Amino acid sequence: MTDTTYILAVDPGNEKTGVAIVTPSGTMVCRKIIMTKQFNGEIERILTEYYGVVHMVCGNGTNHKYLYPSLQQIGRNHRITTSLIDESHSTEEARKLYWQYNPPTGWRRFVPKGMQFPPEPVDDLTAYVIGKRYTKQLKEENYNKLQDCKIEEDLEAKRLAAIKKLYNEGDAHE
């Protein structure tokens, strides 16, 4: 994946669904809340607007059993891969993000943010959290693959050194 590619993240809900477009590096490109009844049409529209979507990731929480099969079908139609990801505590993370993007003003500045509830839905930010989790998972997988390659290279080097030592230092046969 390059930076011209995108990941579409979905926070499925009963009435409203959060959607975010994220780069493979985890940068948010776009976020919105759509009505769940209009899910298929809105996802199709987003895919035409953001042509570089190469993967769609869906949270495994509320209503995913209904929306994920639709997302998979849309993915098959557009030849885009899909996956589910654990979304536990993603709404709490989204609420924290909300206050980072919209710091409280007036008397609310003095009330701890953990005690305040955002005045608007945060489903779009929750989708962003899901997208970031997926990109983090990708980075960890790539790191593990690099580590595995390095271990294999080290083992091969040791094997070659042992063979060389065996044949170079063994009994001389004439």
Side-chain angles (χ1 to χ4, degrees):
M1 281 189 256
T2 65
D3 276 339
T4 58
T5 61
Y6 303 112
I7 297 159
L8 184 135
V10 177
D11 172 38
N14 290 323
E15 294 178 21
K16 57 192 179 316
T17 295
V19 177
I21 302 290
V22 182
T23 64
S25 63
T27 305
M28 180 174 24
V29 176
C30 167
R31 63 184 168 108
K32 58 178 58 180
I33 298 175
I34 60 175
M35 298 308 296
T36 301
K37 291 178 184 176
Q38 302 165 346
F39 180 77
N40 290 353
E42 287 292 321
I43 295 298
E44 291 282 353
R45 191 185 64 68
I46 290 169
L47 290 177
T48 57
E49 188 177 337
Y50 293 93
Y51 184 72
V53 173
V54 294
H55 188 77
M56 296 186 289
V57 62
C58 181
N60 66 351
T62 308
N63 210 25
H64 83 277
K65 290 180 181 177
Y66 172 72
L67 291 182
Y68 186 62
S70 297
L71 193 67
Q72 286 179 306
Q73 185 59 51
I74 292 168
R76 281 191 291 275
N77 293 345
H78 291 271
R79 295 193 173 135
I80 299 172
T81 57
T82 59
S83 63
L84 276 175
I85 194 165
D86 181 30
E87 71 164 81
S88 57
H89 305 291
S90 58
T91 303
E92 289 86 358
E93 287 182 50
R95 287 180 185 146
K96 289 178 186 175
L97 274 176
Y98 176 85
W99 293 117
Q100 287 177 6
Y101 290 125
N102 307 291
T105 58
W107 62 269
R108 291 185 178 268
R109 293 180 307 187
F110 304 108
V111 178
K113 291 175 193 150
M115 294 177 66
Q116 297 186 49
F117 196 79
E120 58 190 66
V122 293
D123 301 271
D124 51 347
L125 288 171
T126 305
Y128 173 57
V129 169
I130 290 168
K132 286 217 23 136
R133 286 183 184 179
Y134 177 75
T135 59
K136 181 180 177 188
Q137 188 178 31
L138 276 181
K139 289 175 189 173
E140 288 173 359
E141 286 175 6
N142 287 338
Y143 176 77
N144 289 340
K145 284 180 184 175
L146 285 174
Q147 290 299 98
D148 289 346
C149 287
K150 186 175 180 178
I151 289 170
E152 287 177 19
E153 288 172 3
D154 290 346
L155 288 173
E156 182 65 15
K158 287 179 182 177
R159 187 182 73 78
L160 290 174
I163 290 171
K164 184 177 180 182
K165 183 177 179 182
L166 177 68
Y167 287 107
N168 289 343
E169 295 178 6
D171 296 333
H173 299 285
E174 293 179 15

